[in-house]
Amino acid sequence: MDFSTLVELDRRCVAQTYSRLPVALVEGRGALVRDIHGKEYIDCIAGIAVLNVGHSHPRVLRALQEQASKLMHVSNLYYIPPQVELAEKLCELTGGYRSFFCNSGTEAVEAAIKLVRKHSRKREIIAARNSFHGRTLGSLSATGQEKYRTAFKPLVPGFKHVEYGNIEALRKAITKDTAAVILEPIQGEGGVIIPPEDYFKEVRELCDARDVLLVLDEVQTGIARTGTLFAWQGLGIEPDVFTLAKALGAGFPIGAMLAKPEVMDSFSPGDHASTFGGNPLACAVAKVVLEIVEEERLAQRARELGEYFMEKLGQLQREHEVIKEVRGRGLLIGVELSIPCAEIVKKGLEHGLLLNCTHERVLRFAPPLVITKEQIDQVCSRLGGILKGVPE
Ligand SMILES: *Cc1c(COP(=O)(O)O)cnc(C)c1O
């Protein structure tokens, strides 16, 4: 199918919920992707923090093929060996958390909302302004951005929003009926916002003192993205509950809600379920993803390459006034501009870069963690070229 037919058919047959860039990607390897015309791009967004192990990792392919040829799906009416193996792996890596498996980030957050309400027998959940937790009604009720919410009210009752990074605001918002606080370790979709250094330690102490559960939404920060397997491991605290999705399946849909055993124990048979959740194929792939992350030391790689990338972006900042700030942790990096970044993303395509613009003025970099130094050099030199042509 040629490109113009594709665009025409998309308009005619697909729900128009996405504003798409004029490109159709058809293959990828590592941090490189190729479009329908054969043009190559360096992928700086990795399917929005999904392809942490890179596109088409050979071991992921092998796991998919092997499991698919044996058994793709059975119901949770039965024991599912790959599901138990994945949960065991996560249990080991977290020091004892138990897993509930689903198929996406928003479902992982929904599961967390149900769990904290049942466990605490309290109703209220406090989230942050500018947060992103997903698009289904429960997660959307946690999401702290009006633009996503307005058209879909009434939302789920019981949600409050406070300023992100402000411990006093959180302290004031907690009441006797507060079940949980839900926060992203870094606000990804909200523009790569990093809270003050001690924020999460203070949040943890506050939650302990007031008997409130702490839920971390690690859908974007999880799986080595920020330099540790889970961002909370780099914060020096443990959440009661946390969510994973995006990179867990390296492109195969899977989500997970993990909780400390004493919290997860509040779920009884029948409380929550998912037809596809934890199916053999998804779990076989996710287990291999976790093995790759360990064997290829991708957390450390994210730390080292993140530093390298930020340094090079800092150089660009000194040369280009449009760059207001460079911030990030590991390979989740935001470059805040003084102008909207949609044009720059379009120019990126011409220069062989898949860039992403979030929150209108923030270029969000979340490349595959297997990206090479040479590729990062290329990204920075091409971005420099693009910024030269931009009126300041
Ligand atoms: C992407 C994202 C979600 C939603 O995940 P979906 O798989 O799109 O439902 C939830 N929380 C965070 C922090 C995210 O980045």
Side-chain angles (χ1 to χ4, degrees):
M1 194 182 297
D2 69 17
F3 186 67
S4 56
T5 311
L6 196 68
V7 171
E8 170 54 28
L9 273 176
D10 182 282
R11 188 162 25 234
R12 191 145 63 82
C13 305
V14 180
Q16 295 298 296
T17 58
Y18 302 100
S19 29
R20 297 187 199 275
L21 290 160
V23 62
L25 302 165
V26 294
E27 54 185 358
R29 198 83 182 171
L32 295 176
V33 288
R34 209 181 284 281
D35 73 11
I36 200 169
H37 306 298
K39 182 177 161 103
E40 194 174 78
Y41 304 81
I42 302 175
D43 188 352
C44 295
I45 188 63
I48 312 192
V50 168
L51 278 313
N52 290 14
V53 300
H55 290 271
S56 297
H57 194 292
R59 287 194 53 200
V60 171
L61 297 185
R62 207 178 324 128
L64 256 173
Q65 281 164 350
E66 275 173 16
Q67 187 58 50
S69 67
K70 273 197 276 186
L71 185 70
M72 282 197 251
H73 179 82
V74 286
S75 167
N76 281 297
L77 290 168
Y78 314 103
Y79 286 96
I80 301 176
Q83 183 183 130
V84 175
E85 286 168 32
L86 173 60
E88 183 194 23
K89 182 95 197 150
L90 285 166
C91 188
E92 250 172 48
L93 291 167
T94 54
Y97 288 70
R98 289 187 191 157
S99 298
F100 173 86
F101 296 107
C102 50
N103 315 286
S104 65
T106 198
E107 283 171 80
V109 172
E110 295 287 343
I113 292 168
K114 285 179 70 173
L115 179 65
V116 298
R117 280 192 171 163
K118 183 156 192 231
H119 179 78
S120 67
R121 299 201 207 93
K122 296 186 271 189
R123 285 164 294 188
E124 205 173 81
I125 295 168
I126 302 174
R129 290 198 200 112
N130 194 49
S131 61
F132 187 82
H133 297 293
R135 310 277 194 155
T136 55
L137 287 170
S139 322
L140 187 59
S141 305
T143 293
Q145 300 186 58
E146 265 323 295
K147 65 179 177 195
Y148 296 131
R149 299 159 52 97
T150 308
F152 307 104
K153 288 181 178 177
L155 299 178
V156 176
F159 286 82
K160 276 206 249 186
H161 294 89
V162 299
E163 191 190 353
Y164 185 65
N166 180 338
I167 192 70
E168 289 315 316
L170 185 59
R171 199 186 309 281
K172 280 191 202 126
I174 291 176
T175 70
K176 280 195 179 64
D177 199 31
T178 304
V181 171
I182 179 166
L183 294 166
E184 297 157 271
I186 291 172
Q187 288 187 332
E189 199 273 349
V192 191
I193 307 295
I194 302 172
E197 174 90 21
D198 289 334
Y199 180 60
F200 279 101
K201 284 208 177 106
E202 291 171 340
V203 170
R204 181 69 273 181
E205 279 168 22
L206 179 59
C207 287
D208 288 341
R210 304 291 299 273
D211 194 23
V212 168
L213 295 165
L214 175 56
V215 181
L216 290 183
D217 183 349
E218 293 244 20
V219 168
Q220 189 156 158
T221 52
I223 319 299
R225 170 61 52 193
T226 69
T228 48
L229 184 59
F230 310 113
W232 59 259
Q233 293 169 325
L235 296 172
I237 57 143
E238 292 186 355
D240 300 292
V241 178
F242 72 103
T243 56
L244 295 173
K246 291 193 165 89
L248 182 57
F252 197 90
I254 180 169
M257 185 273 287
L258 294 91
K260 295 255 176 144
E262 63 275 19
V263 179
M264 197 65 102
D265 269 353
S266 293
F267 266 171
S268 313
D271 276 340
H272 202 46
S274 164
T275 297
F276 293 129
N279 97 359
L281 193 50
C283 291
V285 171
K287 182 167 161 249
V288 161
V289 167
L290 293 172
E291 287 167 7
I292 295 168
V293 168
E294 275 185 304
E295 282 162 30
E296 299 187 9
R297 302 161 62 84
L298 293 185
Q300 189 177 336
R301 192 179 170 96
R303 263 198 309 278
E304 289 166 4
L305 288 182
E307 258 172 49
Y308 181 74
F309 203 169
M310 296 250 290
E311 214 176 279
K312 298 221 85 178
L313 289 166
Q315 270 168 30
L316 275 185
Q317 182 182 10
R318 288 190 283 283
E319 292 160 21
H320 301 278
E321 259 178 44
V322 282
I323 301 185
K324 282 176 62 188
E325 194 183 27
V326 176
R327 53 181 182 251
R329 189 170 294 139
L331 279 170
L332 181 56
I333 299 170
V335 175
E336 185 160 343
L337 305 180
S338 56
I339 53 165
C341 46
E343 263 326 292
I344 293 184
V345 171
K346 274 192 201 139
K347 291 236 174 67
L349 292 179
E350 291 165 27
H351 288 75
L353 293 181
L354 295 188
L355 299 174
N356 173 254
C357 177
T358 191
H359 245 241
E360 196 166 341
R361 284 167 189 236
V362 181
L363 285 171
R364 169 177 44 178
F365 290 88
L369 308 182
V370 297
I371 194 171
T372 64
K373 264 194 177 163
E374 292 69 30
Q375 285 165 336
I376 289 175
D377 292 343
Q378 276 291 321
V379 169
C380 291
S381 92
R382 290 179 201 177
L383 184 60
I386 294 166
L387 292 176
K388 254 187 210 123
V390 169
E392 310 253 313

